[in-house]
Amino acid sequence: MHINTKKRRKAKNEEVPEWMVTFADMMTLLLTFFVLILSFSTTDVERYKSIAEAMQSSFGLQELNPLSIIPADNPPKNENIIEPLKPQPSTEAEDADIENQLESIGNRLETNFTDEIEKGVVIVERDEDHIIIRFPDESAFTSGSDYLEPAVVPVLQKVGQLISEYDMFTIVGGHTDDQPINTDRFRSNWDLSAARAVSVAHELTWLTDLEEKFLYVVGNADARPLVPNTSQENRIKNRRVEILLIERPDNTERDVYQGIQQSPLLR
């Protein structure tokens, strides 16, 4: 019976080699060490140095510098160990998506209405803060009338479709020369210029998604001529309807009216 007990003890001791105990202790300490590091997003450098030196002595790694992961320039306390993600520079495609609205509209107008611009049916003027689409009187209306010429109607509808794709203030302004008018339909040039602006506004919104709450109609009469009304040629230039486009930020109604008062149509 005594012999059997010895054999059993000997067999039991052979199941776990002695070096495994030391190895398991070392692995446990290593695991604790790395869990401790990962559990902190920020650390006190001086405190970290003392812990690292203690770990160095425990493992007997005298030749290994456990502080090599600490920057040589001794960063300030509580510096973030994990560097924050830095925003990547935008690509050319992303830059194109955020292209300035006015620049985009101006480019498309000059591309899509090349023939009309060459024929003088449409005049496009571009500036940093606005675009003016001008329809001369002879291409849009007959003398003393607010009825649009049939040839200009599809052009206005195309313009309305283009504008509706952007967030813009759209101001339609009618202009006349200084020759007075007094008919059964129009009491003065104010009536005529306003009626012509309304006719253009109707075509801009016809079969388009142009938001009418951001559309303004203005009758200027002869108050804002392009050139002095000193000749018949100059008077022809002054008779026109203009579509002013201004970028639409997130403003209040009051800001909108202030912007219109400062617009080129009303200067």
Side-chain angles (χ1 to χ4, degrees), residues 85 165 219 227:
L85 294 176
E165 298 177 17
V227 293

Side-chain angles (χ1 to χ4, degrees), residues 133-157:
I133 308 171
R134 181 176 296 121
F135 291 87
D137 179 70
E138 62 268 21
S139 66
F141 299 96
T142 58
S143 179
S145 172
D146 64 328
Y147 293 104
L148 286 163
E149 290 290 314
V152 81
V153 170
V155 178
L156 284 169
Q157 292 178 356

Side-chain angles (χ1 to χ4, degrees), residues 16-172:
V16 181
E18 295 179 356
W19 63 268
M20 285 292 293
V21 177
T22 304
F23 179 80
D25 290 341
M26 183 178 66
M27 295 304 297
T28 303
L29 289 173
L30 283 174
L31 177 62
T32 304
F33 174 69
F34 287 112
V35 169
L36 179 65
I37 291 178
L38 294 177
S39 64
F40 295 98
S41 60
T42 60
T43 184
D44 188 326
V45 174
E46 296 300 328
R47 185 179 179 185
Y48 179 82
K49 284 182 179 180
S50 61
I51 296 175
E53 289 173 356
M55 295 297 297
Q56 177 182 357
S57 300
S58 299
F59 287 109
L61 303 177
Q62 301 298 330
E63 297 179 358
L64 178 63
N65 181 12
L67 305 181
S68 59
I69 62 173
I70 300 179
D73 56 354
N74 192 15
K77 295 183 179 181
N78 297 328
E79 182 180 0
N80 201 337
I81 294 178
I82 304 175
E83 293 186 1
L85 294 176
K86 297 180 180 179
Q88 298 296 327
S90 58
T91 62
E92 293 182 0
E94 292 173 345
D95 291 340
D97 292 339
I98 57 175
E99 180 185 19
N100 181 276
Q101 290 194 91
L102 287 173
E103 183 178 354
S104 176
I105 293 176
N107 293 337
R108 292 181 63 183
L109 285 170
E110 293 175 355
T111 302
N112 298 351
F113 298 92
T114 303
D115 294 339
E116 290 81 357
I117 293 174
E118 290 180 354
K119 294 177 182 178
V121 177
V122 180
I123 300 172
V124 178
E125 292 185 359
R126 304 171 63 173
D127 204 342
E128 293 182 357
D129 58 353
H130 67 270
I131 289 178
I132 293 178
I133 308 171
R134 181 176 296 121
F135 291 87
D137 179 70
E138 62 268 21
S139 66
F141 299 96
T142 58
S143 179
S145 172
D146 64 328
Y147 293 104
L148 286 163
E149 290 290 314
V152 81
V153 170
V155 178
L156 284 169
Q157 292 178 356
K158 286 174 59 179
V159 170
Q161 292 173 355
L162 191 153
I163 297 173
S164 66
E165 298 177 17
Y166 299 86
D167 297 328
M168 309 296 294
F169 291 123
T170 305
I171 308 169
V172 183

